[in-house]
Coordinates of all heavy atoms in Angstrom, one line a residue:
M18 N 157.8 -13.1 -132.4 CA 159.2 -12.9 -132.8 C 160.1 -12.9 -131.5 O 159.8 -12.2 -130.5 CB 159.4 -11.5 -133.4 CG 158.7 -11.4 -134.8 SD 159.3 -12.5 -136.0 CE 160.9 -12.0 -136.4
V19 N 161.1 -13.7 -131.5 CA 162.0 -13.8 -130.3 C 163.1 -12.8 -130.5 O 163.8 -12.7 -131.6 CB 162.6 -15.2 -130.2 CG1 163.6 -15.3 -129.1 CG2 161.6 -16.3 -130.0
T20 N 163.3 -11.9 -129.5 CA 164.2 -10.8 -129.6 C 165.4 -10.9 -128.7 O 166.4 -10.3 -128.9 CB 163.5 -9.4 -129.4 OG1 162.9 -9.5 -128.1 CG2 162.4 -9.2 -130.4
A21 N 165.2 -11.6 -127.6 CA 166.3 -11.7 -126.6 C 166.1 -12.9 -125.6 O 165.0 -13.4 -125.6 CB 166.4 -10.4 -125.8
V22 N 167.2 -13.3 -124.9 CA 167.1 -14.3 -123.9 C 167.8 -13.8 -122.7 O 168.9 -13.2 -122.8 CB 167.8 -15.6 -124.4 CG1 167.8 -16.7 -123.2 CG2 167.1 -16.2 -125.6
T23 N 167.1 -13.9 -121.5 CA 167.7 -13.5 -120.2 C 167.9 -14.7 -119.4 O 167.1 -15.6 -119.3 CB 166.7 -12.5 -119.5 OG1 166.6 -11.3 -120.3 CG2 167.3 -12.1 -118.2
T24 N 169.1 -14.8 -118.7 CA 169.4 -15.9 -117.9 C 169.8 -15.5 -116.5 O 170.2 -14.3 -116.3 CB 170.6 -16.7 -118.5 OG1 171.7 -15.9 -118.6 CG2 170.2 -17.3 -119.9
R25 N 169.7 -16.4 -115.6 CA 170.2 -16.2 -114.2 C 170.6 -17.6 -113.7 O 170.0 -18.6 -114.0 CB 169.1 -15.6 -113.4 CG 169.5 -15.5 -111.9 CD 168.6 -14.9 -111.0 NE 167.2 -14.8 -111.3 CZ 166.4 -13.8 -110.9 NH1 166.8 -12.9 -110.1 NH2 165.1 -13.8 -111.2
G26 N 171.7 -17.6 -112.9 CA 172.1 -18.9 -112.2 C 171.4 -19.1 -110.9 O 170.4 -18.4 -110.6
R27 N 171.8 -20.0 -110.1 CA 171.2 -20.4 -108.9 C 171.9 -19.8 -107.7 O 173.1 -19.8 -107.6 CB 171.2 -21.9 -108.7 CG 170.6 -22.4 -107.5 CD 170.6 -23.9 -107.4 NE 170.0 -24.4 -106.2 CZ 170.2 -25.6 -105.7 NH1 171.0 -26.4 -106.2 NH2 169.5 -25.9 -104.6
K28 N 171.1 -19.2 -106.8 CA 171.7 -18.7 -105.5 C 172.1 -19.9 -104.7 O 171.5 -20.9 -104.7 CB 170.6 -17.9 -104.8 CG 170.3 -16.6 -105.5 CD 169.3 -15.8 -104.7 CE 168.8 -14.6 -105.3 NZ 167.8 -13.8 -104.5
K29 N 173.1 -19.7 -103.9 CA 173.6 -20.7 -103.0 C 172.9 -20.6 -101.7 O 173.1 -19.6 -101.0 CB 175.1 -20.7 -102.8 CG 175.7 -21.8 -102.0 CD 177.2 -21.6 -101.9 CE 177.8 -22.7 -101.0 NZ 179.2 -22.6 -100.9
D30 N 172.1 -21.6 -101.3 CA 171.3 -21.5 -100.1 C 170.5 -20.3 -99.9 O 170.3 -19.7 -98.9 CB 172.3 -21.7 -98.9 CG 173.0 -23.0 -98.9 OD1 172.4 -24.0 -99.4 OD2 174.2 -23.0 -98.5
G31 N 170.0 -19.8 -101.1 CA 169.1 -18.6 -101.0 C 169.8 -17.3 -100.9 O 169.1 -16.2 -100.8
V32 N 171.1 -17.2 -100.8 CA 171.8 -16.0 -100.7 C 172.7 -15.7 -101.9 O 173.0 -16.6 -102.7 CB 172.7 -16.0 -99.4 CG1 171.9 -16.1 -98.2 CG2 173.8 -17.0 -99.5
I33 N 173.0 -14.4 -102.2 CA 173.8 -14.1 -103.3 C 175.2 -14.6 -103.1 O 175.8 -14.3 -102.0 CB 173.8 -12.5 -103.5 CG1 172.4 -12.1 -103.9 CG2 174.8 -12.1 -104.6 CD1 172.2 -10.6 -104.0
D34 N 175.7 -15.3 -104.0 CA 177.1 -15.9 -103.9 C 177.7 -15.9 -105.3 O 177.2 -16.5 -106.2 CB 176.9 -17.3 -103.4 CG 178.2 -18.1 -103.2 OD1 179.3 -17.4 -103.5 OD2 178.2 -19.2 -102.9
P35 N 178.9 -15.3 -105.4 CA 179.5 -15.3 -106.7 C 180.0 -16.7 -107.2 O 180.3 -16.9 -108.4 CB 180.7 -14.4 -106.5 CG 181.0 -14.4 -105.1 CD 179.7 -14.6 -104.4
H36 N 180.0 -17.6 -106.3 CA 180.4 -19.0 -106.7 C 179.2 -20.0 -106.8 O 179.4 -21.2 -106.7 CB 181.4 -19.5 -105.6 CG 182.6 -18.5 -105.5 ND1 183.4 -18.3 -106.5 CD2 182.9 -17.8 -104.5 CE1 184.3 -17.4 -106.1 NE2 184.1 -17.1 -104.9
G37 N 178.0 -19.4 -106.9 CA 176.8 -20.3 -107.1 C 176.9 -21.0 -108.4 O 177.6 -20.7 -109.3
Q38 N 176.0 -22.0 -108.5 CA 175.9 -22.8 -109.8 C 175.3 -21.9 -110.9 O 174.4 -21.2 -110.7 CB 175.0 -24.0 -109.5 CG 175.4 -24.9 -108.4 CD 174.3 -25.9 -108.0 OE1 173.3 -26.0 -108.5 NE2 174.6 -26.6 -106.9
K39 N 175.9 -22.1 -112.1 CA 175.5 -21.2 -113.2 C 175.9 -21.7 -114.5 O 176.9 -22.4 -114.6 CB 176.0 -19.8 -113.0 CG 177.5 -19.7 -112.9 CD 177.9 -18.3 -112.4 CE 179.4 -18.3 -112.0 NZ 179.8 -17.1 -111.3
V40 N 175.2 -21.4 -115.5 CA 175.6 -21.7 -116.9 C 176.3 -20.4 -117.4 O 175.9 -19.3 -117.1 CB 174.3 -21.9 -117.8 CG1 174.7 -21.9 -119.3 CG2 173.7 -23.2 -117.4
T41 N 177.5 -20.6 -118.0 CA 178.3 -19.5 -118.4 C 178.2 -19.2 -119.9 O 178.6 -18.1 -120.4 CB 179.8 -19.7 -118.0 OG1 180.2 -21.0 -118.5 CG2 179.9 -19.7 -116.5
S42 N 177.7 -20.2 -120.7 CA 177.5 -20.0 -122.1 C 176.5 -21.0 -122.6 O 176.3 -22.0 -122.1 CB 178.8 -20.0 -123.0 OG 179.3 -21.3 -123.0
Y43 N 175.8 -20.6 -123.7 CA 174.7 -21.4 -124.3 C 174.5 -21.2 -125.7 O 174.9 -20.1 -126.3 CB 173.4 -21.3 -123.5 CG 172.9 -19.9 -123.5 CD1 172.0 -19.5 -124.5 CD2 173.2 -18.9 -122.5 CE1 171.4 -18.2 -124.5 CE2 172.7 -17.6 -122.6 CZ 171.8 -17.3 -123.5 OH 171.3 -16.0 -123.6
H44 N 173.8 -22.1 -126.4 CA 173.3 -21.9 -127.7 C 171.7 -21.8 -127.7 O 171.1 -22.3 -126.7 CB 173.6 -23.1 -128.6 CG 175.0 -23.3 -128.9 ND1 175.6 -24.4 -129.5 CD2 176.1 -22.4 -128.8 CE1 176.9 -24.3 -129.7 NE2 177.2 -23.1 -129.2
V45 N 171.1 -21.2 -128.6 CA 169.7 -21.0 -128.7 C 169.2 -21.8 -129.9 O 169.8 -21.7 -131.0 CB 169.3 -19.5 -128.9 CG1 167.8 -19.4 -129.2 CG2 169.7 -18.7 -127.6
Y46 N 168.1 -22.6 -129.7 CA 167.5 -23.3 -130.8 C 166.0 -22.8 -130.8 O 165.4 -22.6 -129.8 CB 167.5 -24.8 -130.6 CG 168.9 -25.4 -130.7 CD1 169.8 -25.3 -129.7 CD2 169.3 -25.9 -131.9 CE1 171.1 -25.8 -129.8 CE2 170.6 -26.4 -132.0 CZ 171.5 -26.4 -131.0 OH 172.8 -26.8 -131.1
Y47 N 165.5 -22.7 -132.0 CA 164.1 -22.2 -132.1 C 163.3 -23.1 -133.1 O 163.9 -23.7 -134.0 CB 164.1 -20.7 -132.6 CG 164.7 -20.5 -133.9 CD1 163.9 -20.4 -135.0 CD2 166.1 -20.3 -134.0 CE1 164.5 -20.2 -136.3 CE2 166.6 -20.1 -135.3 CZ 165.8 -20.0 -136.4 OH 166.4 -19.8 -137.6
S48 N 162.0 -23.0 -133.0 CA 161.1 -23.8 -133.8 C 159.8 -23.1 -134.1 O 159.3 -22.4 -133.2 CB 160.8 -25.2 -133.1 OG 159.9 -25.9 -133.9
T49 N 159.2 -23.3 -135.2 CA 157.9 -22.8 -135.5 C 156.8 -23.8 -135.3 O 155.6 -23.5 -135.3 CB 157.8 -22.3 -137.0 OG1 158.2 -23.4 -137.9 CG2 158.8 -21.1 -137.2
D50 N 157.2 -25.1 -135.1 CA 156.2 -26.1 -134.9 C 156.4 -26.9 -133.6 O 155.7 -27.9 -133.3 CB 156.1 -27.1 -136.1 CG 157.4 -27.8 -136.4 OD1 158.4 -27.7 -135.5 OD2 157.5 -28.5 -137.4
C51 N 157.5 -26.6 -132.9 CA 157.9 -27.3 -131.6 C 158.3 -28.7 -131.8 O 158.3 -29.5 -130.9 CB 156.7 -27.2 -130.6 SG 156.4 -25.5 -130.1
M52 N 158.6 -29.1 -133.1 CA 159.1 -30.4 -133.4 C 160.5 -30.4 -134.0 O 161.3 -31.2 -133.7 CB 158.1 -31.2 -134.3 CG 156.7 -31.3 -133.6 SD 155.6 -32.5 -134.2 CE 156.5 -33.9 -134.4
T53 N 160.6 -29.5 -135.0 CA 161.9 -29.3 -135.6 C 162.6 -28.0 -135.1 O 162.0 -27.0 -135.3 CB 161.7 -29.3 -137.2 OG1 161.0 -30.4 -137.6 CG2 163.0 -29.2 -137.9
F54 N 163.8 -28.2 -134.6 CA 164.5 -27.0 -134.0 C 165.7 -26.7 -134.8 O 166.4 -27.6 -135.3 CB 164.9 -27.3 -132.6 CG 163.7 -27.3 -131.6 CD1 162.9 -28.3 -131.4 CD2 163.5 -26.1 -130.9 CE1 161.8 -28.3 -130.5 CE2 162.5 -26.0 -130.0 CZ 161.6 -27.1 -129.8
Y55 N 165.9 -25.4 -135.0 CA 167.0 -24.9 -135.7 C 168.0 -24.1 -134.8 O 167.5 -23.3 -134.0 CB 166.5 -24.0 -136.9 CG 165.6 -24.7 -137.8 CD1 164.2 -24.5 -137.6 CD2 166.1 -25.5 -138.8 CE1 163.3 -25.2 -138.4 CE2 165.2 -26.2 -139.6 CZ 163.8 -26.0 -139.4 OH 162.9 -26.7 -140.3
P56 N 169.3 -24.2 -135.0 CA 170.2 -23.4 -134.1 C 170.2 -22.0 -134.6 O 170.1 -21.7 -135.8 CB 171.5 -24.1 -134.4 CG 171.4 -24.7 -135.7 CD 170.0 -25.1 -135.9
Y57 N 170.3 -21.1 -133.7 CA 170.4 -19.6 -134.0 C 171.8 -19.4 -134.5 O 172.8 -19.7 -133.8 CB 170.1 -18.7 -132.8 CG 170.1 -17.3 -133.2 CD1 168.9 -16.7 -133.8 CD2 171.2 -16.5 -133.1 CE1 168.9 -15.4 -134.2 CE2 171.2 -15.2 -133.5 CZ 170.0 -14.6 -134.0 OH 170.0 -13.3 -134.4
K58 N 172.0 -18.9 -135.7 CA 173.3 -18.8 -136.3 C 173.7 -17.3 -136.6 O 172.8 -16.5 -136.8 CB 173.4 -19.5 -137.7 CG 173.3 -21.0 -137.5 CD 173.4 -21.8 -138.8 CE 173.3 -23.3 -138.6 NZ 173.5 -24.0 -139.9
N59 N 175.0 -17.1 -136.6 CA 175.5 -15.8 -136.9 C 175.3 -15.5 -138.4 O 175.7 -16.3 -139.2 CB 177.0 -15.8 -136.6 CG 177.7 -14.4 -136.8 OD1 177.4 -13.8 -137.8 ND2 178.5 -14.0 -135.9
S60 N 174.6 -14.4 -138.7 CA 174.3 -14.1 -140.1 C 175.5 -13.8 -141.0 O 175.5 -13.9 -142.2 CB 173.3 -13.0 -140.2 OG 173.8 -11.8 -139.7
T61 N 176.6 -13.5 -140.3 CA 177.8 -13.1 -141.1 C 178.6 -14.3 -141.5 O 179.0 -14.5 -142.7 CB 178.8 -12.2 -140.2 OG1 178.0 -11.1 -139.7 CG2 179.9 -11.7 -141.0
N62 N 178.8 -15.3 -140.6 CA 179.7 -16.4 -140.9 C 178.9 -17.8 -140.9 O 179.5 -18.8 -141.2 CB 180.9 -16.5 -140.0 CG 180.5 -16.7 -138.5 OD1 179.4 -17.1 -138.2 ND2 181.4 -16.4 -137.6
G63 N 177.7 -17.8 -140.6 CA 176.9 -19.0 -140.6 C 177.2 -20.0 -139.4 O 176.6 -21.1 -139.4
Q64 N 178.0 -19.6 -138.5 CA 178.3 -20.5 -137.3 C 177.2 -20.3 -136.3 O 176.6 -19.3 -136.1 CB 179.6 -20.1 -136.7 CG 180.8 -20.2 -137.6 CD 181.1 -21.7 -137.9 OE1 181.1 -22.5 -137.1 NE2 181.3 -22.0 -139.2
I65 N 177.0 -21.4 -135.5 CA 176.0 -21.3 -134.4 C 176.6 -20.3 -133.4 O 177.7 -20.4 -133.0 CB 175.9 -22.7 -133.7 CG1 175.3 -23.7 -134.7 CG2 175.0 -22.6 -132.5 CD1 175.2 -25.1 -134.2
M66 N 175.7 -19.4 -133.0 CA 176.1 -18.4 -132.0 C 176.2 -18.9 -130.6 O 175.3 -19.6 -130.1 CB 175.2 -17.2 -132.0 CG 175.4 -16.3 -133.2 SD 174.5 -14.7 -133.1 CE 175.5 -13.9 -131.9
N67 N 177.3 -18.6 -130.0 CA 177.6 -18.9 -128.6 C 177.3 -17.7 -127.7 O 177.9 -16.7 -127.9 CB 179.0 -19.4 -128.4 CG 179.2 -20.1 -127.1 OD1 178.4 -21.0 -126.7 ND2 180.2 -19.8 -126.4
F68 N 176.3 -17.8 -126.9 CA 175.9 -16.6 -126.1 C 176.5 -16.7 -124.7 O 176.5 -17.8 -124.1 CB 174.4 -16.5 -125.9 CG 173.7 -16.2 -127.2 CD1 173.2 -17.2 -128.0 CD2 173.5 -14.9 -127.6 CE1 172.5 -16.9 -129.2 CE2 172.9 -14.6 -128.8 CZ 172.4 -15.6 -129.6
Q69 N 177.1 -15.6 -124.2 CA 177.7 -15.5 -122.9 C 176.6 -15.4 -121.9 O 175.6 -14.6 -122.1 CB 178.5 -14.2 -122.8 CG 179.4 -14.1 -121.7 CD 180.7 -14.9 -121.9 OE1 181.1 -15.2 -123.0 NE2 181.4 -15.2 -120.8
A70 N 176.6 -16.2 -120.8 CA 175.6 -16.1 -119.8 C 176.2 -15.5 -118.5 O 176.9 -14.5 -118.5 CB 175.0 -17.5 -119.6
N71 N 176.0 -16.2 -117.4 CA 176.4 -15.7 -116.1 C 177.9 -16.0 -115.8 O 178.2 -17.2 -115.5 CB 175.5 -16.2 -115.0 CG 174.1 -15.8 -115.2 OD1 173.4 -16.3 -116.1 ND2 173.7 -14.8 -114.5
T72 N 178.7 -15.0 -115.9 CA 180.1 -15.2 -115.6 C 180.5 -14.6 -114.2 O 181.5 -14.9 -113.7 CB 181.1 -14.6 -116.7 OG1 180.7 -13.3 -116.9 CG2 180.8 -15.4 -118.0
G73 N 179.7 -13.7 -113.7 CA 179.9 -13.0 -112.5 C 179.0 -13.7 -111.4 O 179.0 -14.9 -111.2
V74 N 178.3 -12.8 -110.6 CA 177.4 -13.3 -109.6 C 176.4 -14.2 -110.2 O 175.7 -13.7 -111.2 CB 176.8 -12.1 -108.8 CG1 175.9 -12.6 -107.7 CG2 178.0 -11.3 -108.1
S75 N 176.2 -15.4 -109.7 CA 175.2 -16.3 -110.3 C 173.8 -15.8 -110.4 O 173.1 -16.2 -111.3 CB 175.3 -17.7 -109.6 OG 174.9 -17.5 -108.3
S76 N 173.4 -15.0 -109.5 CA 172.0 -14.5 -109.4 C 171.8 -13.3 -110.3 O 170.6 -12.8 -110.4 CB 171.5 -14.3 -108.0 OG 172.3 -13.3 -107.4
D77 N 172.8 -12.7 -110.9 CA 172.6 -11.6 -111.8 C 171.8 -12.0 -113.0 O 172.0 -13.1 -113.5 CB 174.0 -11.0 -112.2 CG 174.7 -10.2 -111.1 OD1 174.0 -10.0 -110.1 OD2 175.9 -9.9 -111.3
L78 N 171.0 -11.1 -113.5 CA 170.3 -11.3 -114.8 C 171.2 -10.8 -115.9 O 171.8 -9.8 -115.9 CB 169.0 -10.4 -114.8 CG 167.9 -10.9 -113.9 CD1 166.7 -9.9 -113.9 CD2 167.4 -12.3 -114.2
V79 N 171.3 -11.7 -116.9 CA 172.2 -11.4 -118.1 C 171.3 -11.5 -119.3 O 170.7 -12.6 -119.6 CB 173.4 -12.3 -118.2 CG1 174.1 -12.1 -119.5 CG2 174.3 -12.2 -117.0
T80 N 171.1 -10.4 -120.1 CA 170.3 -10.4 -121.3 C 171.1 -10.4 -122.5 O 172.0 -9.6 -122.7 CB 169.3 -9.2 -121.3 OG1 168.5 -9.4 -120.1 CG2 168.4 -9.2 -122.5
N81 N 170.8 -11.3 -123.5 CA 171.5 -11.3 -124.8 C 170.4 -11.0 -125.8 O 169.4 -11.8 -126.0 CB 172.1 -12.7 -125.1 CG 173.4 -12.9 -124.3 OD1 174.4 -12.2 -124.6 ND2 173.4 -13.8 -123.4
V82 N 170.6 -9.9 -126.5 CA 169.6 -9.5 -127.6 C 170.1 -10.2 -128.8 O 171.3 -10.2 -129.2 CB 169.7 -8.0 -127.8 CG1 168.8 -7.6 -128.9 CG2 169.2 -7.3 -126.5
L83 N 169.1 -10.9 -129.5 CA 169.4 -11.5 -130.8 C 169.7 -10.5 -131.9 O 168.8 -9.6 -132.0 CB 168.3 -12.4 -131.2 CG 167.9 -13.6 -130.2 CD1 166.8 -14.4 -130.9 CD2 169.1 -14.4 -129.8
P84 N 170.8 -10.5 -132.6 CA 171.0 -9.5 -133.6 C 169.9 -9.4 -134.7 O 169.6 -8.3 -135.1 CB 172.4 -9.9 -134.2 CG 173.0 -10.8 -133.2 CD 171.9 -11.4 -132.4
C85 N 169.4 -10.6 -135.0 CA 168.2 -10.6 -136.0 C 167.1 -11.4 -135.3 O 167.3 -12.6 -135.1 CB 168.6 -11.3 -137.3 SG 169.9 -10.4 -138.2
P86 N 166.0 -10.8 -134.9 CA 164.9 -11.6 -134.3 C 164.4 -12.7 -135.2 O 164.6 -12.6 -136.4 CB 163.8 -10.5 -134.1 CG 164.5 -9.2 -134.1 CD 165.7 -9.4 -135.0
V87 N 163.9 -13.8 -134.6 CA 163.4 -14.9 -135.3 C 162.0 -15.2 -134.9 O 161.6 -15.0 -133.8 CB 164.3 -16.2 -135.1 CG1 165.7 -16.0 -135.7 CG2 164.4 -16.6 -133.6
A88 N 161.2 -15.7 -135.9 CA 159.8 -16.1 -135.6 C 159.9 -17.5 -135.0 O 160.5 -18.4 -135.6 CB 159.0 -16.1 -136.9
A89 N 159.3 -17.7 -133.9 CA 159.3 -19.0 -133.2 C 158.1 -19.2 -132.3 O 157.6 -18.3 -131.7 CB 160.6 -19.1 -132.4
L90 N 157.7 -20.5 -132.2 CA 156.7 -20.9 -131.3 C 157.3 -21.5 -130.0 O 156.8 -21.3 -128.9 CB 155.8 -21.9 -131.9 CG 154.5 -22.4 -131.2 CD1 153.6 -21.2 -130.8 CD2 153.8 -23.4 -132.0
C91 N 158.5 -22.1 -130.2 CA 159.2 -22.8 -129.1 C 160.7 -22.4 -129.1 O 161.2 -22.2 -130.2 CB 159.1 -24.3 -129.1 SG 157.4 -24.9 -129.0
V92 N 161.3 -22.3 -128.0 CA 162.7 -22.0 -127.9 C 163.4 -22.9 -126.9 O 162.8 -23.2 -125.8 CB 162.9 -20.5 -127.4 CG1 164.4 -20.2 -127.2 CG2 162.3 -19.6 -128.4
R93 N 164.6 -23.4 -127.2 CA 165.4 -24.2 -126.3 C 166.7 -23.5 -126.1 O 167.3 -22.9 -127.0 CB 165.7 -25.6 -126.9 CG 164.6 -26.5 -127.1 CD 165.0 -27.8 -127.7 NE 163.8 -28.7 -127.7 CZ 163.8 -29.9 -128.4 NH1 164.9 -30.2 -129.1 NH2 162.8 -30.6 -128.4
V94 N 167.2 -23.6 -124.8 CA 168.5 -23.1 -124.5 C 169.4 -24.3 -124.1 O 169.0 -25.1 -123.3 CB 168.4 -22.1 -123.3 CG1 169.7 -21.7 -122.8 CG2 167.5 -20.9 -123.6
N95 N 170.5 -24.4 -124.9 CA 171.4 -25.5 -124.7 C 172.7 -25.1 -124.0 O 173.5 -24.5 -124.7 CB 171.6 -26.1 -126.1 CG 172.5 -27.3 -126.0 OD1 173.7 -27.2 -126.2 ND2 172.0 -28.5 -125.8
P96 N 172.8 -25.4 -122.7 CA 174.1 -25.0 -122.0 C 175.3 -25.6 -122.7 O 175.3 -26.7 -123.1 CB 173.9 -25.6 -120.6 CG 172.4 -25.7 -120.5 CD 171.9 -26.1 -121.8
R97 N 176.4 -24.8 -122.9 CA 177.6 -25.2 -123.5 C 178.8 -25.2 -122.4 O 179.7 -26.0 -122.5 CB 178.0 -24.3 -124.6 CG 176.9 -24.1 -125.7 CD 176.4 -25.4 -126.3 NE 177.5 -26.0 -127.0 CZ 177.6 -27.3 -127.4 NH1 176.5 -28.1 -127.1 NH2 178.6 -27.8 -128.0
S98 N 178.7 -24.3 -121.5 CA 179.7 -24.3 -120.4 C 179.0 -23.9 -119.1 O 178.0 -23.2 -119.1 CB 180.9 -23.4 -120.7 OG 180.5 -22.1 -120.9
W99 N 179.6 -24.3 -117.9 CA 178.9 -24.0 -116.7 C 179.9 -24.0 -115.5 O 181.1 -24.4 -115.7 CB 177.8 -25.0 -116.4 CG 178.2 -26.4 -116.5 CD1 178.7 -27.2 -115.5 CD2 178.2 -27.2 -117.6 NE1 179.0 -28.4 -115.9 CE2 178.7 -28.5 -117.3 CE3 177.8 -27.0 -119.0 CZ2 178.8 -29.5 -118.2 CZ3 178.0 -28.1 -119.9 CH2 178.5 -29.3 -119.4
F100 N 179.5 -23.5 -114.4 CA 180.3 -23.5 -113.2 C 179.6 -24.4 -112.1 O 178.5 -24.2 -111.8 CB 180.5 -22.1 -112.7 CG 181.4 -22.0 -111.5 CD1 182.7 -22.1 -111.5 CD2 180.8 -21.7 -110.2 CE1 183.5 -22.0 -110.4 CE2 181.6 -21.6 -109.1 CZ 183.0 -21.8 -109.2
I101 N 180.3 -25.4 -111.6 CA 179.8 -26.4 -110.6 C 178.8 -27.3 -111.3 O 179.1 -28.5 -111.5 CB 179.3 -25.8 -109.3 CG1 180.4 -24.9 -108.7 CG2 178.8 -26.8 -108.4 CD1 180.0 -24.2 -107.4
H102 N 177.6 -26.8 -111.5 CA 176.5 -27.6 -112.1 C 175.7 -26.8 -113.1 O 175.7 -25.6 -113.0 CB 175.5 -28.1 -111.0 CG 176.0 -29.0 -110.0 ND1 176.4 -30.3 -110.3 CD2 176.3 -28.8 -108.7 CE1 176.8 -30.9 -109.2 NE2 176.8 -30.0 -108.2
I103 N 175.1 -27.5 -114.1 CA 174.2 -26.8 -115.0 C 172.9 -26.4 -114.2 O 172.2 -27.2 -113.8 CB 173.8 -27.6 -116.2 CG1 175.0 -28.0 -117.0 CG2 172.7 -26.9 -117.0 CD1 174.7 -29.0 -118.1
S104 N 172.8 -25.1 -113.9 CA 171.7 -24.6 -113.2 C 171.3 -23.2 -113.7 O 172.2 -22.3 -113.6 CB 172.0 -24.6 -111.7 OG 170.9 -24.2 -110.9
M105 N 170.1 -23.0 -114.2 CA 169.8 -21.7 -114.7 C 168.3 -21.5 -114.9 O 167.5 -22.5 -114.9 CB 170.4 -21.5 -116.1 CG 169.8 -22.3 -117.2 SD 170.5 -22.1 -118.9 CE 170.4 -20.4 -119.2
Q106 N 167.9 -20.3 -114.8 CA 166.6 -19.9 -115.2 C 166.7 -19.1 -116.5 O 167.7 -18.4 -116.6 CB 166.0 -18.9 -114.1 CG 165.8 -19.6 -112.8 CD 165.3 -18.5 -111.7 OE1 165.7 -17.4 -111.8 NE2 164.5 -19.0 -110.8
F107 N 165.7 -19.2 -117.3 CA 165.8 -18.3 -118.5 C 164.5 -17.8 -118.9 O 163.4 -18.4 -118.6 CB 166.5 -19.0 -119.7 CG 165.7 -20.0 -120.4 CD1 165.0 -19.7 -121.5 CD2 165.7 -21.3 -120.0 CE1 164.2 -20.6 -122.2 CE2 165.0 -22.3 -120.7 CZ 164.2 -21.9 -121.8
D108 N 164.4 -16.7 -119.6 CA 163.2 -16.0 -120.0 C 163.4 -15.6 -121.5 O 164.5 -15.1 -121.8 CB 162.9 -14.8 -119.2 CG 161.5 -14.2 -119.5 OD1 160.7 -14.9 -120.0 OD2 161.3 -13.0 -119.3
V109 N 162.5 -15.8 -122.3 CA 162.5 -15.5 -123.7 C 161.8 -14.2 -123.9 O 160.6 -14.1 -123.5 CB 161.9 -16.6 -124.6 CG1 162.0 -16.2 -126.0 CG2 162.7 -17.9 -124.4
K110 N 162.4 -13.2 -124.4 CA 161.8 -11.9 -124.7 C 161.3 -11.9 -126.2 O 162.0 -12.5 -127.0 CB 162.8 -10.7 -124.5 CG 163.4 -10.8 -123.1 CD 162.5 -10.5 -122.0 CE 163.3 -10.4 -120.7 NZ 162.5 -10.2 -119.6
G111 N 160.3 -11.1 -126.4 CA 159.8 -11.1 -127.8 C 158.8 -10.0 -128.0 O 158.5 -9.2 -127.2
C112 N 158.3 -10.0 -129.2 CA 157.3 -9.0 -129.6 C 156.4 -9.7 -130.7 O 156.8 -10.7 -131.3 CB 157.9 -7.7 -130.1 SG 158.9 -8.0 -131.6
L113 N 155.3 -9.1 -131.0 CA 154.4 -9.6 -132.1 C 155.1 -9.3 -133.4 O 155.8 -8.4 -133.6 CB 153.1 -8.8 -132.0 CG 152.2 -9.0 -130.7 CD1 151.0 -8.2 -130.8 CD2 151.9 -10.5 -130.6
T114 N 154.8 -10.2 -134.4 CA 155.4 -10.0 -135.7 C 155.2 -8.7 -136.3 O 156.1 -8.1 -136.9 CB 154.9 -11.1 -136.6 OG1 155.0 -12.4 -136.0 CG2 155.6 -11.1 -137.9
S115 N 154.0 -8.1 -136.1 CA 153.7 -6.8 -136.7 C 154.5 -5.7 -136.1 O 154.7 -4.6 -136.7 CB 152.2 -6.5 -136.5 OG 151.9 -6.5 -135.1
D116 N 155.1 -5.9 -134.8 CA 155.9 -4.9 -134.2 C 157.3 -4.7 -134.8 O 157.9 -3.7 -134.6 CB 156.1 -5.2 -132.7 CG 154.8 -5.1 -131.9 OD1 153.8 -4.5 -132.4 OD2 154.7 -5.6 -130.8
V117 N 157.7 -5.7 -135.6 CA 159.1 -5.7 -136.2 C 159.1 -5.3 -137.6 O 160.1 -5.0 -138.2 CB 159.9 -7.0 -136.0 CG1 161.1 -6.8 -135.2 CG2 159.1 -8.1 -135.5
L118 N 157.9 -5.3 -138.2 CA 157.8 -5.0 -139.7 C 157.9 -3.5 -139.9 O 157.6 -2.7 -139.2 CB 156.6 -5.6 -140.3 CG 156.5 -7.1 -140.2 CD1 155.1 -7.6 -140.7 CD2 157.6 -7.8 -140.9

């Protein structure tokens, strides 16, 4: 079960810089077979959710918790907006299916 996504931008020349390269928003896509991907949607209005990423210091960690966890084998992060260049690290947080039941 995917429960959250954490992102971080790129440090400029290895130092903390508020103007480093970073993704500022993204969409999440998930798959149970790693072939067919589905966009993570808002359960209220059915729109693809736009997640806020790094808007401050590029090297800060920003975690977005999914309002409703999803079962997935593979996850894609699709940048929607960025500063200077698309540059990011991301980590997918999750738990075993039995932990959410």
Side-chain angles (χ1 to χ4, degrees):
M18 295 300 290
V19 176
T20 59
V22 175
T23 299
T24 61
R25 175 176 20 209
R27 180 178 182 203
K28 293 181 182 179
K29 184 178 179 184
D30 299 325
V32 297
I33 294 174
D34 179 3
H36 306 295
Q38 302 166 7
K39 56 192 167 191
V40 170
T41 55
S42 69
Y43 60 90
H44 290 170
V45 171
Y46 291 82
Y47 62 95
S48 174
T49 56
D50 62 6
C51 297
M52 298 198 47
T53 304
F54 284 82
Y55 303 97
Y57 186 84
K58 295 183 178 182
N59 184 314
S60 60
T61 308
N62 62 19
Q64 298 292 316
I65 296 175
M66 281 192 75
N67 196 48
F68 292 94
Q69 192 82 18
N71 298 77
T72 56
V74 177
S75 62
S76 60
D77 285 350
L78 291 174
V79 176
T80 300
N81 285 295
V82 176
L83 303 183
C85 296
V87 292
L90 184 58
C91 297
V92 175
R93 290 181 178 168
V94 173
N95 181 266
R97 306 305 296 164
S98 61
W99 53 88
F100 182 75
I101 301 177
H102 295 288
I103 296 174
S104 184
M105 72 182 302
Q106 296 174 328
F107 75 93
D108 187 24
V109 177
K110 309 290 185 182
C112 61
L113 298 175
T114 308
S115 60
D116 293 343
V117 241
L118 300 176

